[in-house]
Amino acid sequence: MSLLLLIEHNDIPIQDKMNLSKMYGENFVIHTIEAVILFFIIGAISFAIYTLIRRTILNKRLTYIEERKILFDKYLLSLVAPEEDEALNITSSSSEIVDTPALDISDIADPLGREILLKQLLSIHKQVQGEEAKKIKQAYLTLGFKKFALEKLRSNQWDVIVSGLQELMQIRIRDAYKDIFKLLNHKEEAVRTIAMKAYIQLNIDPLDFLLDVKEELSEWQKKEILYSLEQLPLENLPEFKKYLSAKNNSVIDFIIYLIGHFNQEIEEPILEKYLFDTNVLVRLSAIKTIGILGYSNLKQILKERYTNEIHGLKIEIIQTLGLICDENDSLFFEEIALSDTPSLSIPAIVSLKKTQNKSIEYLIQTLVNDENKENISKLVAHVNALN
Amino acid sequence: MWDWKDYLVLFFEFFIFFYCMGILSSYFIIGLVSALEVIKYKKDRDLTDYTELLKCPFVPSISIIAPAYNESVTIVDNIKSLVSLHYTKLTVIVVNDGSKDDTLQKAIDAYHLKKIDYYYDERIKTKEVRGIYKSENPAYKALIFVDKANGGKADAINVGVNISSSQYFACIDVDCIIEADAFLKMVKPIMREQKRKVVAVGGIVWLTNDSVVQDGKLIQVNTPNSFVARMQVIEYFRAFLLGRTAWSKINGLLLISGAFGLFERETVLEVGGYNHNTVGEDMELVMRMHVYLREKKIKYKVGYVPEPLCWTEAPSGYDILSKQRNRWTRGTIECLMIHKKMFFNPKYGVLGLVSYPYWLFAEWLAPFAEVGGTIFVIVLAILGMVNWKIFFLMLALVYVFAMFISFFSILVQEISYYKYEKNNDIFKLLFTAMIEPFRYHPRTVYWAIKGNYDKFIKNSSGWGEMTRAGFNTPAKK
């Protein structure tokens, strides 16, 4: 008999069929299918109902949020630009809330109310500076948000931790850096990255953690770190070269980049040493930084490195030399411009144009001869069109 | 006593039953994994300030390559929307693929284009490039307009890849609407990856039919008025939201939509660019990249951003839709045949052991299993051998499962993106999902079977005529 009982066999005696049905077959299969159908029906109906109910709840919630926003905005703006006749009545019994107009404590007793107030507070804090920002920060502290933010750092949910970090970073709660330090090795990459960002903004030695970073820094992490550093006053920036003792190549490459980006001084022999590093990205950063800092004393070393370098770094060397060379170096560029490799010829022509500060006609006159006329003319015209 | 006929019937019964259960289970697992990933992505997105990328020196450079053919009516607006995208290291390369109308002249007049001498290395052989143009207006310095002899979409994109000097290129359809911050979001998976090279990133493409579009920007999303287009909305929810996200998680994504995808230029050049000889050139390129990188033992990832960043118009009538689905079927067949060495080949890892077999059995062969199963039941019914109780239960199971997955996809969309703000839209989508199995699904099976017939018997190739109404059709507000 068919196991699945989709097929009926008329040659099997009725009593056997009935016995089989009793023992095992048809009922079991039917009940199983019915159970699965029921599961999917309940699931589908639940999804549909939840979708529709959720909208209703969301709309109501949005209305509640808008009402609260208006109330909280009034409170927060009164902190920033207080006018006595608009001060709210003090209804809180808390003795801490004396300097600022208070809210009704019931408005912030529930988590949603607190979250709305926090969002408004952070939003206004982003828009103000100086004394107004300090007042907002004071309100943040007296309303007890710091405690909640530190609790968020201990959450099991990574997105909660990240939002706590962002809060502490924005409000500049400096003593939180010790709690943040523990998160630099969190298993979730998003937490590690924001923890780096927050640590930089809150710690006196913002990049000391880089000396212990084991993982390769991603471009995203570099972007976050750079962004954080750019928020610091220039006088608070550390001397980046002290982090060149890191063992991690991605850190060294990034530090060299930062030195160039922030135009910090570094001894030429140190940069020169990195032109010979085994790591391609370190060499790349060193080449670019030489150009940014204008270290023309290193141009001879760069020319010597050119021959032994990989194709991609050859292009970088040509571009860097275009920044630090002068008319006396034209022969170097001319040789490359006349080579059979357009991907090198083009940057060489660009650099030649920069260092010579001459017209395209002069370049054509210098480079073009009867043999290479067609090719070189094309390349020179290309450079002219794009530059 | 059973004879050979009984065993034959039993074999088909087992095959069809377990095949169907396998398909349904895989949809369930893929849907669940995708939903969790989408929710995780949304949390991450909400905590990210993408505007910080606008000043970031570490973002990869991107060229948008937009092939254009007979786009005279819309080319000026389309270019305008592309050059307005929020991204600093962006070049827009519009490739006029031998248009028979005045696409080129319209662009020249609108953007003050001037023909220039532009050198590029033709690493991929293409049809003749007749001219490269740049604007004399510095506001459009990111725009490069290329005029070439007609060679088809794949050829046009290959020209763009040759000409581009960016690290990545985005292949898009010129009449798609791209969200202003789309590329800021697309580069995050690239920048976040620490150990592997990200060679491609896909994104969700959703439908704009009857939505409100102003100045090339999507203002309000509405469900389409046409049932055909509305049905496709749900299909796209299932495919893009509940399907590709899970495949990307296991690095087994075989397809990035031709309407919107980001590719690493050097890898595409290494594999030889888009293939002219298939109508599934988008899928074929991704598969070829996978094969190349696996064979070279390079650590890589094909990423996916599960957010609607690109909007396009779906066919609103059965005529054009049937041609599109016919082409998709032929494209799938061609890609699977070109890369058949991947089939259950452990050398290709998850691609060979999971992705390729899935596409073979659950995408290509599924219509045959469905039609075969239907015929099987009809024959058994004629022979009086069907247990009707179980038959109808199984039919009900398949139907409620289809509803379950469709409703789930609508819910995930709702939780994640909440694009359809009107309650009426949701009711329409739920109702459409309920009648899809009866009114729409049989047609898709027929189109798939016909696609196979056209491929293997008629040996058809090519795209066929695709007409679109355009975004400026009257839309309800």
Side-chain angles (χ1 to χ4, degrees):
Chain A
M1 188 171 194
S2 160
L3 187 68
L4 293 173
L5 302 165
L6 288 177
I7 304 162
E8 293 198 345
H9 284 269
N10 292 323
D11 53 342
I12 295 176
I14 286 288
Q15 56 269 32
D16 285 345
K17 270 195 215 176
M18 286 168 70
N19 285 339
L20 279 167
S21 295
K22 270 189 217 169
M23 277 170 59
Y24 188 71
E26 187 167 330
N27 282 343
F28 174 75
V29 173
I30 287 172
H31 290 329
T32 305
I33 297 172
E34 282 173 348
V36 174
I37 289 171
L38 197 60
F39 171 77
F40 286 134
I41 287 176
I42 292 172
I45 293 172
S46 304
F47 295 151
I49 292 173
Y50 181 64
T51 302
L52 296 166
I53 288 177
R54 188 177 176 275
R55 283 185 160 237
T56 312
I57 295 172
L58 212 62
N59 286 336
K60 278 191 185 154
R61 194 172 144 129
L62 282 172
T63 310
Y64 174 79
I65 289 172
E66 284 309 311
E67 285 168 4
R68 285 280 155 270
K69 270 186 184 174
I70 292 168
L71 177 66
F72 294 147
D73 274 347
K74 199 172 178 183
Y75 162 72
L76 292 168
L77 287 170
S78 71
L79 295 178
V80 172
E83 290 181 35
E84 287 179 12
D85 56 342
E86 285 188 9
L88 294 169
N89 292 327
I90 294 175
T91 55
S92 167
S93 58
S94 167
S95 59
E96 287 179 17
I97 309 172
V98 289
D99 294 332
T100 56
L103 291 173
D104 189 317
I105 206 72
S106 64
D107 289 327
I108 52 171
D110 70 302
L112 179 60
R114 268 203 314 273
E115 214 47 48
I116 297 167
L117 174 58
L118 176 64
K119 274 201 174 113
Q120 293 307 103
L121 190 147
L122 293 173
S123 169
I124 291 178
H125 183 264
K126 263 189 190 169
Q127 297 167 51
V128 299
Q129 291 175 15
E131 279 308 307
E132 286 85 7
K134 283 183 187 165
K135 285 179 186 171
I136 297 291
K137 182 174 176 177
Q138 180 62 32
Y140 177 88
L141 292 168
T142 46
L143 288 166
F145 283 124
K146 177 183 168 184
K147 185 188 90 168
F148 291 122
L150 290 172
E151 273 173 18
K152 284 181 183 176
L153 300 190
R154 290 186 277 277
S155 169
N156 290 330
Q157 294 172 276
W158 65 269
D159 52 314
V160 173
I161 300 175
V162 168
S163 78
L165 285 167
Q166 288 177 332
E167 214 177 291
L168 293 166
M169 179 168 57
Q170 184 185 327
I171 301 290
R172 294 264 198 279
I173 307 297
R174 292 207 174 277
D175 58 4
Y177 83 91
K178 288 175 197 152
D179 297 277
I180 292 170
F181 184 78
K182 294 174 201 164
L183 296 171
L184 292 172
N185 291 314
H186 195 275
K187 62 178 188 241
E188 193 62 46
E189 183 266 337
V191 172
R192 290 198 304 274
T193 303
I194 301 297
M196 281 183 197
K197 204 174 170 181
Y199 189 79
I200 289 168
Q201 301 235 352
L202 303 178
N203 192 17
I204 294 169
D205 190 0
L207 295 180
D208 62 354
F209 69 93
L210 284 180
L211 294 171
D212 298 317
V213 165
K214 303 261 184 311
E215 61 177 349
E216 210 173 289
L217 290 178
S218 67
E219 299 296 288
W220 189 262
Q221 287 170 327
K222 289 179 188 174
K223 164 240 162 217
E224 297 280 49
I225 295 171
L226 177 62
Y227 182 83
S228 287
L229 289 171
E230 285 176 339
Q231 306 308 303
L232 298 177
L234 275 175
E235 58 270 20
N236 288 2
L237 285 175
E239 202 178 42
F240 294 121
K241 64 183 177 188
K242 69 182 179 188
Y243 304 111
L244 289 173
S245 55
K247 301 276 183 291
N248 186 325
N249 280 325
S250 67
V251 170
I252 296 173
D253 141 46
F254 183 51
I255 292 297
I256 296 172
Y257 168 82
L258 288 176
I259 290 169
H261 182 82
F262 287 101
N263 231 308
Q264 287 194 354
E265 281 195 15
I266 180 170
E267 292 77 13
E268 288 176 4
I270 297 177
L271 260 189
E272 183 184 329
K273 177 184 87 173
Y274 287 112
L275 292 175
F276 296 89
D277 198 281
T278 52
N279 186 284
V280 168
L281 295 176
V282 170
R283 296 201 308 273
L284 172 62
S285 281
I287 293 166
K288 285 187 162 173
T289 301
I290 289 171
I292 293 168
L293 297 178
Y295 284 0
S296 53
N297 291 339
L298 294 178
K299 63 181 175 184
Q300 191 52 40
I301 299 283
L302 278 176
K303 286 183 192 175
E304 286 164 15
R305 284 299 303 154
Y306 176 83
T307 326
N308 299 321
E309 264 302 354
I310 60 174
H311 184 84
L313 293 195
K314 280 184 174 170
I315 296 173
E316 293 298 332
I317 288 175
I318 296 169
Q319 289 171 341
T320 293
L321 286 171
L323 296 173
I324 59 176
C325 283
D326 55 35
E327 288 182 357
N328 300 323
D329 302 295
S330 58
L331 189 61
F332 175 80
F333 295 119
E334 282 174 20
E335 280 177 8
I336 301 173
L338 294 170
S339 70
D340 288 331
T341 315
S343 56
L344 296 176
S345 300
I346 289 172
I349 294 170
V350 172
S351 292
L352 191 60
K353 190 166 178 264
K354 268 187 198 157
T355 54
Q356 296 291 316
N357 200 24
K358 294 271 197 305
S359 67
I360 282 294
E361 287 74 23
Y362 175 85
L363 283 178
I364 293 174
Q365 201 182 338
T366 312
L367 295 172
V368 173
N369 56 43
D370 287 335
E371 284 175 9
N372 66 20
K373 193 173 177 181
E374 195 187 326
N375 283 344
I376 293 294
S377 299
K378 266 189 207 169
L379 298 181
V380 172
H382 172 91
V383 167
N384 188 39
L386 294 183
N387 290 282
Chain B
M1 277 298 292
W2 285 25
D3 63 15
W4 65 271
K5 290 192 291 295
D6 292 323
Y7 286 106
L8 189 65
V9 165
L10 189 64
F11 168 75
F12 277 113
E13 186 183 276
F14 265 92
F15 173 75
I16 288 164
F17 177 78
F18 285 108
Y19 178 86
C20 289
M21 289 305 109
I23 299 284
L24 298 190
S25 307
S26 65
Y27 284 176
F28 186 84
I29 294 167
I30 289 169
L32 191 60
V33 171
S34 290
L36 293 171
E37 280 300 301
V38 168
I39 289 166
K40 184 177 178 185
Y41 168 80
K42 183 178 177 288
K43 284 182 185 175
D44 185 76
R45 183 203 64 178
D46 290 346
L47 292 167
T48 303
D49 184 355
Y50 288 96
T51 58
E52 290 177 10
L53 287 171
L54 291 171
K55 288 188 292 185
C56 174
F58 302 120
V59 295
S61 50
I62 295 175
S63 290
I64 297 177
I65 300 174
Y69 180 72
N70 290 351
E71 306 277 352
S72 169
V73 172
T74 56
I75 190 70
V76 174
D77 287 338
N78 291 341
I79 291 176
K80 191 174 173 189
S81 70
L82 292 177
V83 296
S84 314
L85 293 172
H86 298 170
Y87 199 78
T88 41
K89 295 184 187 174
L90 189 69
T91 308
V92 175
I93 303 175
V94 178
V95 184
N96 179 39
D97 190 36
S99 297
K100 294 193 173 75
D101 62 8
D102 59 347
T103 299
L104 172 62
Q105 194 55 50
K106 280 261 173 75
I108 288 173
D109 293 340
Y111 295 100
H112 311 292
L113 299 178
K114 189 179 135 189
K115 200 169 184 178
I116 59 166
D117 291 303
Y118 190 100
Y119 176 85
Y120 67 95
D121 190 2
E122 196 187 4
R123 288 173 66 177
I124 307 170
K125 288 287 170 231
T126 65
K127 289 270 162 62
E128 182 209 354
V129 171
R130 298 194 279 234
I132 298 174
Y133 297 76
K134 277 195 66 83
S135 177
E136 292 176 308
N137 185 342
Y140 302 114
K141 66 178 181 188
L143 173 63
I144 298 176
F145 195 97
V146 183
D147 183 41
K148 66 177 279 289
N150 180 256
K153 184 180 175 185
D155 192 68
I157 300 171
N158 285 341
V159 163
V161 176
N162 278 337
I163 285 172
S164 164
S165 56
S166 303
Q167 288 167 272
Y168 286 84
F169 71 89
C171 163
I172 69 160
D173 285 345
V174 74
D175 54 356
C176 285
I177 294 174
I178 311 289
E179 295 276 339
D181 59 356
F183 291 110
L184 298 177
K185 290 174 177 166
M186 291 286 270
V187 297
K188 189 170 181 183
I190 296 170
M191 293 175 71
R192 248 182 149 162
E193 190 58 47
Q194 285 160 308
K195 297 187 174 100
R196 300 175 289 183
K197 184 161 83 158
V198 178
V199 295
V201 181
I204 290 180
V205 179
W206 270 356
L207 304 180
T208 59
N209 298 56
D210 296 307
S211 297
V212 179
V213 177
Q214 276 176 20
D215 297 328
K217 288 186 174 49
L218 187 63
I219 306 297
Q220 182 181 299
V221 180
N222 299 319
T223 47
N225 293 328
S226 122
F227 167 78
V228 175
R230 212 157 54 235
M231 214 30 268
Q232 290 170 78
V233 168
I234 296 178
E235 271 190 310
Y236 277 51
F237 283 359
R238 291 196 302 253
F240 283 95
L241 206 52
L242 293 192
R244 296 183 194 188
T245 315
W247 288 113
S248 172
K249 177 128 177 92
I250 60 170
N251 208 20
L253 187 60
L254 288 186
L255 170 62
I256 285 176
S257 174
F260 184 62
L262 201 59
F263 296 89
E264 202 244 341
R265 180 177 172 260
E266 193 54 40
T267 304
V268 171
L269 286 168
E270 289 287 316
V271 302
Y274 283 81
N275 185 345
H276 301 240
N277 299 319
T278 169
V279 290
E281 74 281 341
D282 42 7
M283 180 174 176
E284 198 280 326
L285 175 67
V286 177
M287 290 178 82
R288 193 155 21 101
M289 288 168 76
H290 276 297
V291 168
Y292 171 81
L293 292 161
R294 292 246 170 203
E295 287 176 354
K296 292 272 182 197
K297 294 188 177 23
I298 295 171
K299 285 188 182 169
Y300 74 98
K301 175 145 178 73
V302 174
Y304 190 74
V305 174
E307 181 174 350
L309 300 174
C310 173
W311 300 80
T312 189
E313 188 196 332
S316 52
Y318 286 122
D319 285 346
I320 304 295
L321 181 59
S322 66
K323 286 178 186 155
Q324 183 196 68
R325 296 310 163 96
N326 187 295
R327 178 168 50 80
W328 287 5
T329 300
R330 287 185 283 119
T332 299
I333 295 167
E334 285 163 2
C335 292
L336 292 175
M337 286 173 69
I338 290 169
H339 297 289
K340 56 183 180 290
K341 65 182 175 184
M342 289 168 81
F343 182 61
F344 278 132
N345 188 339
K347 184 178 167 189
Y348 299 102
V350 73
L351 296 159
L353 299 174
V354 182
S355 303
Y356 187 102
Y358 179 87
W359 271 86
L360 180 73
F361 293 117
E363 297 288 339
W364 182 17
L365 294 180
F368 291 104
E370 210 168 321
V371 170
T374 307
I375 295 171
F376 174 62
V377 170
I378 292 171
V379 167
L380 290 180
I382 292 169
L383 297 173
M385 293 171 72
V386 175
N387 183 323
W388 289 106
K389 196 187 284 185
I390 291 183
F391 170 74
F392 283 114
L393 279 175
M394 294 295 285
L395 207 59
L397 172 61
V398 172
Y399 174 70
V400 297
F401 180 80
M403 263 198 348
F404 176 88
I405 286 288
S406 295
F407 283 17
F408 185 52
S409 70
I410 294 169
L411 175 61
V412 172
Q413 181 281 139
E414 186 77 358
I415 292 172
S416 313
Y417 303 115
Y418 196 66
K419 290 288 184 187
Y420 296 87
E421 291 176 0
K422 292 184 282 183
N423 288 345
N424 200 32
D425 285 339
I426 295 299
F427 279 118
K428 278 189 192 172
L429 289 173
L430 291 170
F431 177 70
T432 306
M434 287 169 68
I435 59 175
E436 178 205 3
F438 306 111
R439 201 172 152 186
Y440 183 77
H441 181 71
R443 291 179 196 262
T444 62
V445 173
Y446 169 71
W447 293 330
I449 299 287
K450 185 158 185 311
N452 278 271
Y453 173 81
D454 287 345
K455 173 66 194 168
F456 289 114
I457 309 297
K458 286 172 70 178
N459 206 21
S460 292
S461 60
W463 277 53
E465 193 69 29
M466 301 289 296
T467 53
R468 287 176 173 165
F471 292 124
N472 293 322
T473 45
K476 54 184 189 284
K477 304 229 175 194

